Amino acid sequence: PRVSYGIEQVNSQTSDAVVVALHKSGSDPYIVNTAPYNVSGYPTANLNRTTLWNYPEPENVSQVVGLTNGVNPRLGLALSPTLNGNTLDIEVNVKFGFNFTNTKLVVYVLESGLIYPQTNYTSYYGGGSTLPNFVHNHVLRSVLTNINGDAITGSTNSGDTYTKNFSVQLPSNISNSSNVSIVAFVVDASGKALNVRMAHFNDAQTYEIE
C-alpha cells in the first residue's frame, strides 16, 4: 500500500511513468516465478529497473517525476497490440536516434483491476492490518521475452529500426481482457531501461524520440 499510494501520487503529476508490479511472496495468486529481483523486504520499488525509489516513497515522488523530465530519449518505441479471440498479436517497433550496442527488448503482459486482500502496515487507504478489497493494478501476468531481455539483432545505429512480432495465446491467468496492457522496454548492457512504452489493445503508437 505504501508504494501503491506513492504511484498514485506520481501518476497525478505525470503521464510518462510506466508501472509494472511484480508479485513475489506468500499465498498471493498473482506471483510470477520468472521475476528476477531478489529483495530483502516488501514492498521494494526500483526506477528504470536499477535505482531504488527512496523510502518513504510517497514523500519522494520528485525522484520519479524528475526522471520523466527533459527531452525524449534517443531511442523510440511504438507498440501495436491487438486481441483476436484469444490470440494476442503484438508488433513492437524500436527506432534508434543514436548509435547503440548490446541492447535487449523486454515485453510484458499486465493486468489491472484485480481485487484481492492486501496486508497493510501503513495509515494509507484508511489504515487497518488488512485491506479486504484492495485493487491491484499494473500486475505482471506474463513475460513474452526472457525476463532480462532478448538481444536486439541487426544494425542499431542512428536511423535504424527494429521490429519484433509476437503471436501468443492470451495468458490463462487473465481475469478480464479489457484490463490488459502491454509494456515493452529496451535495456542496455547494464540492465538499465533506456525507454519504455505501455499500450492497450488497438493502440497504434508513433515514436516519441528526439
mmCIF file of all heavy atoms in Angstrom, residues 1-3 22-26 31 37-45 57 118-119 121-122:
data_model
loop_
_atom_site.group_PDB
_atom_site.id
_atom_site.type_symbol
_atom_site.label_atom_id
_atom_site.label_comp_id
_atom_site.label_asym_id
_atom_site.label_seq_id
_atom_site.Cartn_x
_atom_site.Cartn_y
_atom_site.Cartn_z
ATOM 1 N N PRO A 1 0.802 -1.229 0.000
ATOM 2 C CA PRO A 1 0.000 0.000 0.000
ATOM 3 C C PRO A 1 0.834 1.279 0.000
ATOM 4 O O PRO A 1 0.448 2.261 -0.607
ATOM 5 C CB PRO A 1 -0.819 -0.140 1.284
ATOM 6 C CG PRO A 1 -0.941 -1.600 1.486
ATOM 7 C CD PRO A 1 0.374 -2.165 1.037
ATOM 8 N N ARG A 2 2.009 1.230 0.628
ATOM 9 C CA ARG A 2 2.841 2.432 0.665
ATOM 10 C C ARG A 2 3.313 2.796 -0.735
ATOM 11 O O ARG A 2 3.221 3.952 -1.159
ATOM 12 C CB ARG A 2 4.032 2.208 1.596
ATOM 13 C CG ARG A 2 4.866 3.464 1.844
ATOM 14 C CD ARG A 2 6.080 3.176 2.682
ATOM 15 N NE ARG A 2 7.113 2.480 1.941
ATOM 16 C CZ ARG A 2 7.557 1.261 2.245
ATOM 17 N NH1 ARG A 2 7.064 0.602 3.274
ATOM 18 N NH2 ARG A 2 8.512 0.706 1.523
ATOM 19 N N VAL A 3 3.816 1.811 -1.468
ATOM 20 C CA VAL A 3 4.284 2.081 -2.824
ATOM 21 C C VAL A 3 3.107 2.362 -3.751
ATOM 22 O O VAL A 3 3.185 3.235 -4.620
ATOM 23 C CB VAL A 3 5.143 0.910 -3.337
ATOM 24 C CG1 VAL A 3 5.411 1.051 -4.826
ATOM 25 C CG2 VAL A 3 6.465 0.854 -2.581
ATOM 26 N N LEU A 22 5.469 -6.428 -9.726
ATOM 27 C CA LEU A 22 5.891 -7.824 -9.628
ATOM 28 C C LEU A 22 5.482 -8.371 -8.264
ATOM 29 O O LEU A 22 5.947 -7.879 -7.239
ATOM 30 C CB LEU A 22 7.403 -7.945 -9.791
ATOM 31 C CG LEU A 22 8.041 -7.309 -11.026
ATOM 32 C CD1 LEU A 22 9.552 -7.540 -10.999
ATOM 33 C CD2 LEU A 22 7.454 -7.861 -12.294
ATOM 34 N N HIS A 23 4.660 -9.388 -8.264
ATOM 35 C CA HIS A 23 4.231 -10.021 -7.015
ATOM 36 C C HIS A 23 5.074 -11.275 -6.807
ATOM 37 O O HIS A 23 5.177 -12.116 -7.694
ATOM 38 C CB HIS A 23 2.751 -10.382 -7.086
ATOM 39 C CG HIS A 23 1.836 -9.196 -7.067
ATOM 40 N ND1 HIS A 23 0.768 -9.079 -6.189
ATOM 41 C CD2 HIS A 23 1.832 -8.060 -7.812
ATOM 42 C CE1 HIS A 23 0.141 -7.926 -6.408
ATOM 43 N NE2 HIS A 23 0.766 -7.297 -7.387
ATOM 44 N N LYS A 24 5.655 -11.405 -5.594
ATOM 45 C CA LYS A 24 6.661 -12.462 -5.415
ATOM 46 C C LYS A 24 6.507 -13.307 -4.163
ATOM 47 O O LYS A 24 7.245 -14.276 -4.008
ATOM 48 C CB LYS A 24 8.069 -11.837 -5.398
ATOM 49 C CG LYS A 24 8.546 -11.328 -6.742
ATOM 50 C CD LYS A 24 10.060 -11.203 -6.771
ATOM 51 C CE LYS A 24 10.701 -12.552 -6.609
ATOM 52 N NZ LYS A 24 12.185 -12.502 -6.739
ATOM 53 N N SER A 25 5.603 -12.988 -3.230
ATOM 54 C CA SER A 25 5.694 -13.671 -1.943
ATOM 55 C C SER A 25 4.354 -14.184 -1.453
ATOM 56 O O SER A 25 3.290 -13.752 -1.897
ATOM 57 C CB SER A 25 6.281 -12.723 -0.890
ATOM 58 O OG SER A 25 5.378 -11.678 -0.608
ATOM 59 N N GLY A 26 4.419 -15.135 -0.506
ATOM 60 C CA GLY A 26 3.254 -15.612 0.211
ATOM 61 C C GLY A 26 2.274 -16.378 -0.658
ATOM 62 O O GLY A 26 2.628 -17.037 -1.637
ATOM 63 N N ILE A 31 1.570 -14.179 -8.233
ATOM 64 C CA ILE A 31 3.017 -14.373 -8.281
ATOM 65 C C ILE A 31 3.434 -14.864 -9.668
ATOM 66 O O ILE A 31 2.805 -15.756 -10.244
ATOM 67 C CB ILE A 31 3.467 -15.368 -7.202
ATOM 68 C CG1 ILE A 31 3.314 -14.736 -5.808
ATOM 69 C CG2 ILE A 31 4.911 -15.816 -7.428
ATOM 70 C CD1 ILE A 31 3.601 -15.686 -4.675
ATOM 71 N N TYR A 37 14.000 -10.355 -9.495
ATOM 72 C CA TYR A 37 14.537 -9.494 -8.452
ATOM 73 C C TYR A 37 14.595 -10.213 -7.113
ATOM 74 O O TYR A 37 13.631 -10.822 -6.673
ATOM 75 C CB TYR A 37 13.686 -8.229 -8.325
ATOM 76 C CG TYR A 37 13.644 -7.433 -9.602
ATOM 77 C CD1 TYR A 37 12.539 -7.492 -10.444
ATOM 78 C CD2 TYR A 37 14.719 -6.645 -9.988
ATOM 79 C CE1 TYR A 37 12.513 -6.781 -11.624
ATOM 80 C CE2 TYR A 37 14.699 -5.927 -11.165
ATOM 81 C CZ TYR A 37 13.583 -5.996 -11.984
ATOM 82 O OH TYR A 37 13.563 -5.302 -13.162
ATOM 83 N N ASN A 38 15.731 -10.116 -6.466
ATOM 84 C CA ASN A 38 15.889 -10.606 -5.105
ATOM 85 C C ASN A 38 15.866 -9.401 -4.183
ATOM 86 O O ASN A 38 16.737 -8.541 -4.256
ATOM 87 C CB ASN A 38 17.210 -11.369 -4.958
ATOM 88 C CG ASN A 38 17.224 -12.641 -5.771
ATOM 89 O OD1 ASN A 38 16.262 -13.390 -5.746
ATOM 90 N ND2 ASN A 38 18.317 -12.886 -6.482
ATOM 91 N N VAL A 39 14.857 -9.326 -3.338
ATOM 92 C CA VAL A 39 14.703 -8.175 -2.456
ATOM 93 C C VAL A 39 14.694 -8.652 -1.020
ATOM 94 O O VAL A 39 14.368 -9.797 -0.713
ATOM 95 C CB VAL A 39 13.408 -7.397 -2.776
ATOM 96 C CG1 VAL A 39 13.454 -6.849 -4.197
ATOM 97 C CG2 VAL A 39 12.179 -8.275 -2.600
ATOM 98 N N SER A 40 15.066 -7.750 -0.116
ATOM 99 C CA SER A 40 15.159 -8.109 1.298
ATOM 100 C C SER A 40 13.877 -7.788 2.049
ATOM 101 O O SER A 40 13.724 -8.195 3.202
ATOM 102 C CB SER A 40 16.336 -7.367 1.943
ATOM 103 O OG SER A 40 16.167 -5.961 1.799
ATOM 104 N N GLY A 41 12.971 -7.077 1.433
ATOM 105 C CA GLY A 41 11.720 -6.741 2.105
ATOM 106 C C GLY A 41 10.688 -6.264 1.112
ATOM 107 O O GLY A 41 11.000 -5.952 -0.039
ATOM 108 N N TYR A 42 9.442 -6.228 1.569
ATOM 109 C CA TYR A 42 8.337 -5.803 0.714
ATOM 110 C C TYR A 42 7.614 -4.634 1.369
ATOM 111 O O TYR A 42 7.422 -4.633 2.584
ATOM 112 C CB TYR A 42 7.357 -6.960 0.496
ATOM 113 C CG TYR A 42 8.002 -8.144 -0.194
ATOM 114 C CD1 TYR A 42 8.549 -9.188 0.547
ATOM 115 C CD2 TYR A 42 8.068 -8.198 -1.574
ATOM 116 C CE1 TYR A 42 9.152 -10.259 -0.083
ATOM 117 C CE2 TYR A 42 8.658 -9.275 -2.221
ATOM 118 C CZ TYR A 42 9.190 -10.309 -1.465
ATOM 119 O OH TYR A 42 9.790 -11.363 -2.094
ATOM 120 N N PRO A 43 7.214 -3.647 0.587
ATOM 121 C CA PRO A 43 7.455 -3.519 -0.846
ATOM 122 C C PRO A 43 8.835 -2.922 -1.134
ATOM 123 O O PRO A 43 9.405 -2.230 -0.304
ATOM 124 C CB PRO A 43 6.365 -2.546 -1.296
ATOM 125 C CG PRO A 43 6.201 -1.628 -0.108
ATOM 126 C CD PRO A 43 6.393 -2.517 1.102
ATOM 127 N N THR A 44 9.348 -3.213 -2.320
ATOM 128 C CA THR A 44 10.557 -2.589 -2.840
ATOM 129 C C THR A 44 10.240 -2.016 -4.212
ATOM 130 O O THR A 44 9.587 -2.690 -5.016
ATOM 131 C CB THR A 44 11.705 -3.604 -2.960
ATOM 132 O OG1 THR A 44 12.066 -4.061 -1.652
ATOM 133 C CG2 THR A 44 12.919 -2.982 -3.629
ATOM 134 N N ALA A 45 10.666 -0.798 -4.488
ATOM 135 C CA ALA A 45 10.372 -0.162 -5.770
ATOM 136 C C ALA A 45 11.670 0.281 -6.434
ATOM 137 O O ALA A 45 12.485 0.973 -5.819
ATOM 138 C CB ALA A 45 9.448 1.039 -5.575
ATOM 139 N N GLU A 57 8.402 6.189 -0.048
ATOM 140 C CA GLU A 57 8.171 6.516 -1.446
ATOM 141 C C GLU A 57 7.173 7.650 -1.670
ATOM 142 O O GLU A 57 7.431 8.520 -2.523
ATOM 143 C CB GLU A 57 7.739 5.250 -2.204
ATOM 144 C CG GLU A 57 8.796 4.177 -2.276
ATOM 145 C CD GLU A 57 8.857 3.305 -1.028
ATOM 146 O OE1 GLU A 57 8.063 3.545 -0.085
ATOM 147 O OE2 GLU A 57 9.683 2.376 -0.988
ATOM 148 N N GLN A 118 -5.117 -7.270 0.911
ATOM 149 C CA GLN A 118 -3.731 -6.805 0.980
ATOM 150 C C GLN A 118 -3.356 -6.518 2.424
ATOM 151 O O GLN A 118 -4.031 -5.745 3.115
ATOM 152 C CB GLN A 118 -3.555 -5.539 0.152
ATOM 153 C CG GLN A 118 -2.208 -4.860 0.291
ATOM 154 C CD GLN A 118 -1.060 -5.720 -0.193
ATOM 155 O OE1 GLN A 118 -1.121 -6.238 -1.311
ATOM 156 N NE2 GLN A 118 -0.033 -5.884 0.621
ATOM 157 N N THR A 119 -2.276 -7.143 2.906
ATOM 158 C CA THR A 119 -1.748 -6.813 4.220
ATOM 159 C C THR A 119 -1.298 -5.362 4.219
ATOM 160 O O THR A 119 -0.721 -4.875 3.251
ATOM 161 C CB THR A 119 -0.576 -7.734 4.567
ATOM 162 O OG1 THR A 119 -1.024 -9.088 4.543
ATOM 163 C CG2 THR A 119 -0.008 -7.411 5.937
ATOM 164 N N TYR A 121 0.543 -2.257 6.656
ATOM 165 C CA TYR A 121 1.224 -1.783 7.859
ATOM 166 C C TYR A 121 1.330 -0.262 7.851
ATOM 167 O O TYR A 121 2.192 0.299 8.527
ATOM 168 C CB TYR A 121 2.625 -2.402 7.949
ATOM 169 C CG TYR A 121 2.625 -3.905 7.999
ATOM 170 C CD1 TYR A 121 2.933 -4.652 6.872
ATOM 171 C CD2 TYR A 121 2.302 -4.578 9.180
ATOM 172 C CE1 TYR A 121 2.936 -6.028 6.906
ATOM 173 C CE2 TYR A 121 2.300 -5.966 9.221
ATOM 174 C CZ TYR A 121 2.617 -6.685 8.083
ATOM 175 O OH TYR A 121 2.613 -8.056 8.127
ATOM 176 N N THR A 122 0.461 0.382 7.078
ATOM 177 C CA THR A 122 0.537 1.828 6.912
ATOM 178 C C THR A 122 -0.788 2.470 7.303
ATOM 179 O O THR A 122 -1.775 1.795 7.583
ATOM 180 C CB THR A 122 0.838 2.198 5.452
ATOM 181 O OG1 THR A 122 -0.348 2.053 4.659
ATOM 182 C CG2 THR A 122 1.934 1.322 4.868
#
